[in-house]
Amino acid sequence: EQIIPAQAAFIRRECLESVGWHADVSRATCPDYEMWVRLGLKHPMLHVPGFVARYRRHENSQGCQTSWIDEMVKSKREVMERVFSDEQAPISIRRMRRRAYAGVYWWSADMFLLEQGLVGLGLARALRALAISPHPRLLRRLPGFLWAALRISLRAKKTRKNQGVAGTENQAASC
């Protein structure tokens, strides 16, 4: 549910050595995701509140493109499926399947809505996440998510209306 930006993570060398230094470079997206899962399965993670790094996104970033977001969801689900299907994985981990899948779909909902302003895709992914696992943490985020969707929709409607008026004025001026 919460994505750790790699540049904000501090990992002890012995932890990486215990799970292997490699990332799954065969993946088109998220090659380090599987490494994060290995680390999380073997070592406790600690959240330290506050900002320790900044991350810049721009419109040409792969992570901001609709097709790449879908690829990231697919890649993460493949890694999750391997973990959840492994009978050697602790039962406490395997029981988190639905919550984990819901989390990745909610992440994509955030990306579509908040990063790209794609209200329809964002709402569809949020609903899919809630259908998979109506976890209280996701339910608490729903009002804010719906409010953001409404604001983005109203802003887009206002922009379209203003462009329509401006277009009419330009046509009249050019006649």
Side-chain angles (χ1 to χ4, degrees):
E1 293 160 3
Q2 298 296 317
I3 308 299
I4 302 168
Q7 67 274 19
F10 296 89
I11 306 166
R12 294 183 190 277
R13 179 185 184 108
E14 55 269 13
C15 294
L16 282 171
E17 288 171 344
S18 73
V19 299
W21 288 87
H22 62 280
D24 187 351
V25 294
S26 68
R27 302 200 157 280
T29 65
C30 311
D32 60 338
Y33 184 74
E34 194 265 340
M35 179 191 69
W36 284 105
V37 171
R38 287 192 320 260
L39 280 165
L41 287 171
K42 194 162 184 177
H43 301 283
M45 294 196 182
L46 175 67
H47 174 257
V48 178
F51 293 95
V52 295
R54 292 185 75 182
Y55 182 77
R56 181 181 66 89
R57 287 194 184 135
H58 54 87
E59 64 188 39
N60 295 324
S61 294
Q62 286 180 343
C64 292
Q65 297 173 16
T66 303
S67 61
W68 279 100
I69 294 169
D70 287 334
E71 281 297 314
M72 289 177 189
V73 169
K74 179 183 171 192
S75 184
K76 290 177 179 186
R77 282 201 50 143
E78 288 170 359
V79 171
M80 288 177 191
E81 191 56 40
R82 274 196 313 233
V83 170
F84 296 132
S85 298
D86 180 4
E87 292 184 15
Q88 301 299 317
I91 191 72
S92 60
I93 296 296
R94 289 187 282 148
R95 285 183 179 153
M96 295 180 73
R97 178 185 300 236
R98 294 174 65 82
R99 183 173 168 188
Y101 288 160
V104 79
Y105 282 113
W106 193 275
W107 169 83
S108 69
D110 277 344
M111 293 300 292
F112 286 133
L113 179 68
L114 304 177
E115 297 292 329
Q116 295 185 342
L118 300 173
V119 175
L121 275 173
L123 289 173
R125 290 297 175 90
L127 290 174
R128 187 169 185 181
L130 290 169
I132 292 170
S133 176
H135 192 272
R137 185 175 283 169
L138 294 180
L139 291 170
R140 280 193 301 269
R141 293 188 61 203
L142 187 59
F145 191 84
L146 292 173
W147 180 246
L150 180 63
R151 280 195 336 259
I152 291 167
S153 294
L154 291 174
R155 192 176 318 128
K157 184 177 180 181
K158 184 177 179 180
T159 300
R160 283 193 305 271
K161 182 178 176 184
N162 289 342
Q163 287 173 344
V165 170
T168 304
E169 290 171 2
N170 289 340
Q171 288 174 353
S174 65
C175 291

